[in-house]
Amino acid sequence: MELRQLECFVAVAEESSFTRAAARLHVVQSAVSATIAALEGELHTRLLERTSRRVALTDAGHALLPKARAALDAVRDARDAVDDVNGGVRGTLRVGTLSSLGPIDLPALLGRFHREHPAVSVHLATAASCGGSPGLVEALREGRLDLAFVSIPGSPPPGVRWSDLITTPLDLVVPAGHRLAVQSRVALGELADEAFVDFPSGYGNRAVTDRAFATAGLQRQVAIEITAIGDGADFVRHGLGVALLPRGSTGPDDGLIALPITGEDLNWPISLATPGNRTSSAAARAFERLVDQHLRWVRLSRPLVS
């Protein structure tokens, strides 16, 4: 069994596609197919079921996948040890992210990381493509991501560990002509009959809002689902609903009014999550240190709720 065979197998298993696995590995699809066939021949069993629509793991494939990942992680750790001696960080960093991170400037973070560690290849996955924060957590557990910015209220789920980064209050955002726009603050009970613009289930700010309404014994109607905070403000501006958005999402001249909610826990948390079942790579550890430095600078430049 060769490492290249295991790398191809893991890529096909995670992508559920020979085509996407080939693109990820920067090789032609025929090379991936031949490598998988050689691995199956060596193990005397079929690892993948191929149909015209999908690729799925057999029972043998399911048994091999965690062992293959562990083997690749061990090789990565060995390379990291050598790179540490030689004074460099190499490899690949796979980062998951939410569509918005509030005051955390992810492009600036990644740009600085690239300048400091040019030998590391960075790949970015979004919550929208993974199914929100729960999908990012699952990708961490399965080894498809090295770390991820997530938003899940409460304690970390099994299989991951995280550090809390920031917490931002959610304010009610309404059009300037809305019946509540003249108030200085709003109680949650005043919103029971409103149509809401909100994120899909699984997103952190949606979970915070759903929990607050459930705790208050109130129901609400989500009329429009979005995946970007800016889209929420646009829909509200055109009178299609109200929204609970992170404080600071709206400006003074955009035709919107932001109102604090009284007496409720409506704080949107952002955490940096890493897998709990394996050690972080040198590249992931370097990125975590960079995030910590960035947040210290942010806290000096503007107050945060934490």
Side-chain angles (χ1 to χ4, degrees), residues 43-63:
L43 294 174
H44 306 292
T45 188
R46 184 174 289 276
L47 300 170
L48 299 161
E49 293 289 352
R50 307 154 176 85
T51 69
S52 59
R53 292 189 173 185
R54 61 192 294 268
V55 176
L57 291 170
T58 63
D59 289 344
H62 279 292

Side-chain angles (χ1 to χ4, degrees), residues 22 27 37 51 64 82 86 115 128 140 144 166-167 174 179 187 190 194 199 251 254 275 298:
V27 298
T51 69
L64 176 62
V82 174
N86 293 331
R115 290 190 296 274
L140 286 169
R144 291 182 282 121
I166 60 172
T167 302
V174 300
R179 64 181 179 86
E190 298 179 78
E194 295 288 341
F199 284 73
D254 55 10
V298 168

Side-chain angles (χ1 to χ4, degrees), residues 73 76-85 88-90 92-95 113 116-117 120 146-147 161 272-275 278-293:
D73 284 346
R76 180 209 67 197
D77 291 344
R79 287 174 177 157
D80 285 349
V82 174
D83 289 338
D84 283 342
V85 172
V89 178
R90 300 179 180 275
T92 300
L93 179 67
R94 300 162 299 175
V95 181
F113 183 84
E116 294 183 3
H117 306 288
V120 177
D146 298 304
L147 42 77
R161 57 181 180 270
L272 186 62
T274 55
R278 66 183 193 274
T279 58
S280 297
S281 68
R285 295 195 299 271
F287 187 77
E288 287 184 80
R289 290 193 294 270
L290 197 61
V291 171
D292 183 63
Q293 293 170 12

Side-chain angles (χ1 to χ4, degrees), residues 72-215:
L72 295 175
D73 284 346
V75 171
R76 180 209 67 197
D77 291 344
R79 287 174 177 157
D80 285 349
V82 174
D83 289 338
D84 283 342
V85 172
N86 293 331
V89 178
R90 300 179 180 275
T92 300
L93 179 67
R94 300 162 299 175
V95 181
T97 183
L98 306 170
S99 59
S100 174
L101 296 176
I104 299 174
D105 189 342
L106 184 58
L109 267 173
L110 293 176
R112 180 178 171 187
F113 183 84
H114 176 68
R115 290 190 296 274
E116 294 183 3
H117 306 288
V120 177
S121 174
V122 178
H123 298 273
L124 197 63
T126 65
S129 64
C130 294
S133 289
L136 294 174
V137 166
E138 188 62 24
L140 286 169
R141 286 198 194 103
E142 293 179 353
R144 291 182 282 121
L145 292 176
D146 298 304
L147 42 77
F149 295 96
V150 300
S151 179
I152 299 178
S155 302
V160 299
R161 57 181 180 270
W162 67 37
S163 57
D164 294 324
L165 301 180
I166 60 172
T167 302
T168 305
L170 298 180
D171 287 338
L172 177 69
V173 177
V174 300
H178 192 274
R179 64 181 179 86
L180 297 174
V182 296
Q183 299 184 193
S184 60
R185 55 190 62 246
V186 177
L188 206 62
E190 298 179 78
L191 308 178
D193 297 326
E194 295 288 341
F196 273 82
V197 178
D198 207 341
F199 284 73
S201 296
Y203 282 71
N205 37 3
R206 172 69 179 265
V208 169
T209 303
D210 285 346
R211 184 176 64 177
F213 271 81
T215 300

